[in-house]
Amino acid sequence: RGWVALTMVYRLDNSQTGGGLAPSNWSGASPLSKHWQGGFKPSPQAIYPAVRDAKAAIRWARGNAGDLNLDPLYLGSGGWSAGASTSIFLASQEEDDFKHEMTQQTDPTFGTLQPYLKYSSRVRAGVAWAGNGVVTDTMELLGNSSRYSGTSTPLALYRGAADAVMTPWGQQEVQRKFNASGVLCELLGVPGHGHSDLMPDGLVATQNGVPLPDKIPVLNHSYVWLANRLGLKLV
C-alpha cells in the first residue's frame, strides 16, 4: 500500500498565538541539574507547546485515518534536532502526558485539540536524527515519575561524529535508559558529519559502536530500520 508521510509545524511560545500555551509549572527555568550534559537544552516553556502539538498531530492522524488511507496501528515518528528530541519523547511518553493540563479558558486553541483527545498519541517506533533526551528528562522531573520504562517503543538514534550541539553523552544516556528498561534503542554513528549536515549525505558506519560491513545513507537506513520495527514488509 505504500507509506503515508505527514509533517507538522509546532508552536514554541505564547507570543505565537497570544494565548497561554504552557501551565505555570512549565513556565520557569529548566529543572535539569548542572550534571546534565546533553547539550541542547530548551526552556520548559518552549518544550511544552511543541510536544503537546506533536502528540495532538498523532491523535489527529488517528482520528482521520480513513480519509488519509492509513492504518492507525502502524504509526512511527521521526525528527531532526529539536524534532529528534521530540521523537525520543514520543517513544517514551505516557498517554496522558501534555493532555489535561490546559483548558479552553487558559488556551484559546484548546478547541482544535479536544475532538481528538479520545485517540492515542502512541507511536510504534521512532527515529531521532541528532537529538537528545531533554524533553523526556524534563518531563520526568516536572511530572515526578519515570518515563523510561518497559512501555516505551523501539528507537534509533543517529548522530554525526562532529555534532557540537547534541553531545555523545546525551544520546548514550538515552540508549542506556531505554535498554535498561528492556526496550531496544540503537545508536547509529555517522563519521565526518556534524549537526546540520547529518543528512542527506551522511553515511551510517557504526551500529552500537560496531562497524557495519557497508555504509548506508542515513535516510535509507532510517527507512529500513523503521519499517522493520513497525513490522512492515518491504518489497
Side-chain angles (χ1 to χ4, degrees):
R1 290 178 55 186
W3 291 75
V4 176
L6 304 174
T7 60
M8 62 163 291
V9 177
Y10 51 73
R11 297 165 291 178
L12 293 176
D13 57 50
N14 299 2
S15 64
Q16 291 176 283
T17 65
L21 291 175
S24 58
N25 64 321
W26 282 82
S27 299
S30 173
L32 299 174
S33 76
K34 63 181 180 180
H35 302 294
W36 192 89
Q37 304 168 30
F40 172 71
K41 186 169 70 173
S43 70
Q45 188 170 346
I47 290 173
Y48 185 90
V51 179
R52 191 182 69 160
D53 282 355
K55 285 170 63 76
I58 295 170
R59 290 194 295 265
W60 177 88
R62 282 200 165 92
N64 291 278
D67 293 338
L68 296 170
N69 194 31
L70 60 81
D71 188 330
L73 297 178
Y74 294 89
L75 296 186
S77 67
W80 170 77
S81 192
S85 297
T86 299
S87 191
I88 291 169
F89 175 77
L90 292 174
S92 56
Q93 65 171 307
E94 291 184 2
E95 193 65 63
D96 282 346
D97 291 341
F98 301 94
K99 187 175 183 180
H100 300 297
E101 297 91 342
M102 306 295 285
T103 66
Q104 185 68 55
Q105 287 69 44
T106 56
D107 176 11
T109 67
F110 185 78
T112 64
L113 308 176
Q114 200 167 20
Y116 303 101
L117 289 178
K118 63 182 179 180
Y119 295 101
S120 173
S121 60
R122 300 281 295 178
V123 296
R124 197 159 179 167
V127 298
W129 302 294
N132 63 25
V134 63
V135 176
T136 304
D137 294 347
T138 299
M139 184 68 200
E140 281 198 326
L141 292 173
L142 293 181
N144 296 314
S145 63
S146 175
R147 292 301 184 277
Y148 297 98
S149 68
T151 62
S152 298
T153 53
L155 181 69
L157 305 171
Y158 295 83
R159 183 179 187 276
D163 192 337
V165 178
M166 307 290 186
T167 67
W169 180 93
Q171 293 198 340
Q172 290 164 3
E173 275 295 286
V174 172
Q175 184 184 44
R176 180 185 68 80
K177 291 175 180 178
F178 264 73
N179 291 344
S181 67
V183 179
L184 176 69
C185 180
E186 299 196 280
L187 183 55
L188 293 310
V190 184
H193 289 265
H195 188 76
S196 60
D197 66 346
L198 181 66
M199 302 175 289
D201 297 326
L203 299 176
V204 179
T206 62
Q207 182 169 326
N208 303 320
V210 179
L212 294 173
D214 298 302
K215 296 180 180 180
I216 305 169
V218 170
L219 289 178
N220 292 26
H221 189 284
S222 304
Y223 177 81
V224 174
W225 190 96
L226 190 57
N228 287 338
R229 294 307 167 282
L230 291 176
L232 302 177
K233 182 179 180 181
L234 297 177
V235 294

